Amino acid sequence: MYDIIIIGTGAGGSAMAYKLADSGKKILILERGDYVPVEKENWSSEEVFLKNRYTTTEIWLDKHGQSFRPGMHYNVGGNTKFYGAALFRLREEDFKEIQHYGGVSPAWPIQYEDLKEYYLEAEKLFHVHGKRGSDPTEPFDSEPYPNPPLPHEPRIQEIFDELTGYGLQPFELPVGVNFSPHSTANAPYTLDRFDGFPDASERKGDAHLCALSKALEYPNVELMTHAKVTKLNTDSLGKKITEVIIERNGTSEILTADLVILSAGAVNSAALLLESKNEHFPNGLANHSDQVGRNYMFHQNTALIALYTELNPTKFGKTFGINDFYHAARGYEFPLGHIQMLGKSDENQIKADSPVPAPGFTFELMAKHAVDFWLTSEDLPDPENRVTVENGQIKISYTDNNQKGHELLKAELIKALKASGKFESFLFKGYYFSKGMNIASPAHQNGTTKMGLDPETSVVDVNCKTHDLENLYIVDGGFFVSSGAVNPALTIIAMALRVGSYLKNNILK
């Protein structure tokens, strides 16, 4: 018997464990996977990207019933072990209704101010480096980032300056990295194998290292790995969760707790609720609204690699972003989205994404000349974009939306890169290789258990408590009402810290 069970060790679950650890309550954290092994393969692009060494072998279905292997990582720290640690606050406007080319992004039942103090706490907890005020769309905060911005390497600084000269306002990217994780470490360190890789040096600002490890320092907090939650059972009245059923070492076990916090990720949390249906919830647990699994969003994303005639010897290029097109501006009636740099790709990463090299280039040559960009546009909530479960198998029914804004964003970036006389006459090769991110890449997943004031049209309230069950909270990307156009991780962390504070001050007492 536990006081609290937290399901999942990603951004939400780990931050929640951190926040509740000093409550004195007996807390159990469940993780279906294990720790990512620290091994030389952590930094092998062939192992990580071509062989998918750390990706689940689980198979999901698309809307046509076709099977695919999702880019999901079931391990301690969740997908944050493999993310690029770009940690953004949603813009103040993101919490309000916004018109896009593809439709309307709805207003949230909370405002930016409700999360502001927790955003700052999250930035400190995850060692975020940045330059406050350099991003023209960033909400104001009188406190600087906890750490100075990561420096641009020479080639990246050159591009930064050229884009500034073109008339854009590139800014220092907020990135979570801890350069001194171990007091005994004295070896020099250069960021390199970062975006998409697990970090064997333990410097990446991930949920395991920044939050969970601190929670586990408390004697009242316990982590159970290889514990996949298969079902949540309610009491006879259907008012509260009474049992958490797990599979561990090939056997089924029953766990109990007064309070259950579900943080398995937007897809898996929804799937678990749907699989936990009973006589009180014939369409899935906490689903009287029929909204569980609906409104699945993961952004309109494109990884774009620009090839130049000159070599790009950069080790770590993920140091600036562009938000000039985040809002309706520069002659556009509606928002286009967000641009940021990516970690420097190598030939294996490019090979994994492209079946054929660029004309006149081998994959190796492409990598040596590549400059990497990541473009994100808002994915609009659509109740027909949803997570369901068929015969125990997760199905993602998804149709693209808001594509016009994303296409315009790509065109603007290419135009900006071409515009410089230096790029055009000396650096620009004239070939752009780009790859869209489809449903097999659910890194920015959100929206499946949306927050709202009305129990008829939402799943959780403003404190992430399910409307239908008095002791079940859902704290992962599922609560998002709209997706914004920046990485969701910091908002998930901030919300977990906010909900954790609410629980300590109002429920656990």
Side-chain angles (χ1 to χ4, degrees):
M1 174 68 184
Y2 294 88
D3 295 312
I4 304 168
I5 289 177
I6 299 172
I7 302 168
T9 61
S14 289
M16 182 64 75
Y18 164 81
K19 196 65 173 179
L20 297 179
D22 65 357
S23 66
K25 300 296 183 181
K26 189 177 181 183
I27 300 171
L28 174 65
I29 308 157
L30 299 173
E31 170 54 53
R32 65 186 289 175
D34 200 348
Y35 289 93
V36 177
V38 176
E39 54 189 1
K40 66 180 186 300
E41 288 84 359
N42 289 168
W43 287 339
S44 165
S45 58
E46 181 177 4
E47 291 290 336
V48 174
F49 292 96
L50 289 181
K51 297 183 179 179
N52 294 306
R53 184 181 183 89
Y54 304 106
T55 308
T56 180
T57 56
E58 191 174 52
I59 299 298
W60 294 357
L61 301 173
D62 67 11
K63 63 182 178 182
H64 303 296
Q66 298 298 308
S67 61
F68 67 94
R69 183 179 174 185
M72 292 287 289
H73 301 94
Y74 297 141
N75 47 253
V76 176
N79 284 318
T80 70
K81 294 300 289 187
F82 295 83
Y83 75 163
L87 293 166
F88 284 93
R89 303 181 183 196
L90 283 175
R91 319 289 91 166
E92 291 169 280
E93 295 85 349
D94 286 327
F95 293 88
K96 300 177 172 61
E97 182 178 295
I98 302 172
Q99 179 68 47
H100 290 265
Y101 284 102
V104 175
S105 174
W108 290 49
I110 62 171
Q111 295 301 309
Y112 168 76
E113 288 298 321
D114 295 307
L115 276 178
K116 181 178 179 180
E117 67 177 284
Y118 303 104
Y119 272 132
L120 184 62
E121 183 180 358
E123 288 167 349
K124 292 176 179 177
L125 185 62
F126 277 68
H127 307 282
V128 179
H129 292 247
K131 184 179 180 181
R132 195 78 74 199
S134 67
D135 178 352
T137 68
E138 182 186 51
F140 172 79
D141 199 310
S142 59
E143 281 204 44
Y145 276 100
N147 301 283
L150 298 176
H152 308 306
E153 292 186 41
R155 171 66 74 224
I156 304 304
Q157 182 68 57
E158 204 173 334
I159 298 169
F160 185 100
D161 294 342
E162 292 294 343
L163 291 171
T164 302
Y166 174 71
L168 298 179
Q169 301 177 75
F171 61 90
E172 283 72 13
L173 201 69
V175 177
V177 58
N178 181 7
F179 283 107
S180 54
H182 310 294
S183 58
T184 57
N186 56 16
Y189 180 72
T190 302
L191 288 176
D192 182 6
R193 309 271 103 173
F194 194 84
D195 235 351
F197 294 89
D199 186 4
S201 72
E202 298 192 342
R203 286 170 167 86
K204 183 187 292 189
D206 66 45
H208 160 219
L209 298 171
C210 295
L212 182 64
S213 62
K214 294 180 174 64
L216 292 174
E217 292 174 2
Y218 288 80
N220 55 300
V221 180
E222 175 187 347
L223 171 66
M224 185 184 292
T225 58
H226 299 290
K228 180 184 178 182
V229 180
T230 57
K231 191 174 183 183
L232 302 175
N233 289 331
T234 68
D235 61 7
S236 59
L237 298 176
K239 296 295 185 182
K240 61 187 295 186
I241 302 296
T242 54
E243 295 179 334
V244 177
I245 311 300
I246 67 168
E247 278 184 6
R248 191 173 187 231
N249 300 323
T251 62
S252 180
E253 299 178 32
I254 298 175
L255 303 171
T256 61
D258 295 327
L259 187 67
V260 177
I261 298 164
L262 179 54
S263 299
V267 172
N268 280 287
S269 286
L272 177 61
L273 294 173
L274 294 171
E275 283 286 83
S276 298
K277 61 187 177 184
N278 60 29
E279 60 179 320
H280 299 288
F281 298 97
N283 296 318
L285 214 59
N287 198 24
H288 283 151
S289 64
D290 189 34
Q291 292 300 303
V292 170
R294 294 189 183 272
N295 305 296
Y296 176 62
M297 298 172 282
F298 64 101
H299 284 147
Q300 307 303 337
N301 291 315
T302 296
L304 186 144
I305 299 172
L307 301 178
Y308 297 104
T309 53
E310 205 168 287
L311 294 175
N312 178 20
T314 302
K315 291 292 186 184
F316 183 74
K318 194 184 178 80
T319 54
F320 80 78
I322 301 167
N323 271 342
D324 293 71
F325 305 99
Y326 197 91
H327 302 310
R330 292 180 171 264
Y332 290 104
E333 187 179 4
F334 304 119
L336 304 189
H338 161 74
I339 300 166
Q340 64 181 258
M341 302 299 291
L342 272 174
K344 182 72 177 70
S345 59
D346 66 16
E347 62 177 301
N348 288 317
Q349 290 164 282
I350 295 175
K351 189 186 299 181
D353 287 341
S354 174
V356 292
F361 280 78
T362 62
F363 288 124
E364 182 181 10
L365 197 58
M366 284 175 72
K368 289 179 178 177
H369 291 257
V371 180
D372 307 76
F373 296 90
W374 177 263
L375 300 92
T376 300
S377 298
E378 184 150 352
D379 193 359
L380 302 176
D382 179 346
E384 297 309 310
N385 282 346
R386 61 188 301 195
V387 177
T388 54
V389 183
E390 292 187 359
N391 299 317
Q393 193 170 25
I394 290 174
K395 181 176 182 178
I396 307 290
S397 299
Y398 179 82
T399 302
D400 288 334
N401 62 55
N402 203 28
Q403 282 293 296
K404 181 178 179 180
H406 194 59
E407 293 303 317
L408 290 169
L409 183 67
K410 286 193 277 188
E412 282 291 346
L413 175 59
I414 291 172
K415 186 165 65 174
L417 294 174
K418 286 182 175 180
S420 161
K422 184 174 181 180
F423 277 80
E424 189 172 40
S425 62
F426 184 60
L427 293 176
F428 182 59
K429 171 63 182 172
Y431 177 84
Y432 285 85
F433 158 72
S434 71
K435 176 183 183 297
M437 299 290 126
N438 62 19
I439 59 171
S441 304
H444 290 192
Q445 57 182 281
N446 62 80
T448 58
T449 54
K450 72 174 182 178
M451 175 185 289
L453 301 176
D454 185 355
E456 298 301 315
T457 59
S458 59
V459 180
V460 300
D461 66 15
V462 295
N463 293 307
C464 289
K465 188 188 84 67
T466 54
H467 293 299
D468 294 343
L469 292 155
E470 61 188 50
N471 69 335
L472 177 63
Y473 291 74
I474 307 175
V475 190
D476 50 31
F479 65 77
F480 278 56
V481 178
S482 63
S483 65
V486 290
N487 310 49
L490 192 74
T491 298
I492 297 170
I493 296 161
M495 184 63 77
L497 297 174
R498 175 178 174 268
V499 174
S501 292
Y502 166 80
L503 290 174
K504 282 202 293 188
N505 295 330
N506 298 279
I507 304 300
L508 300 182
K509 284 185 176 181

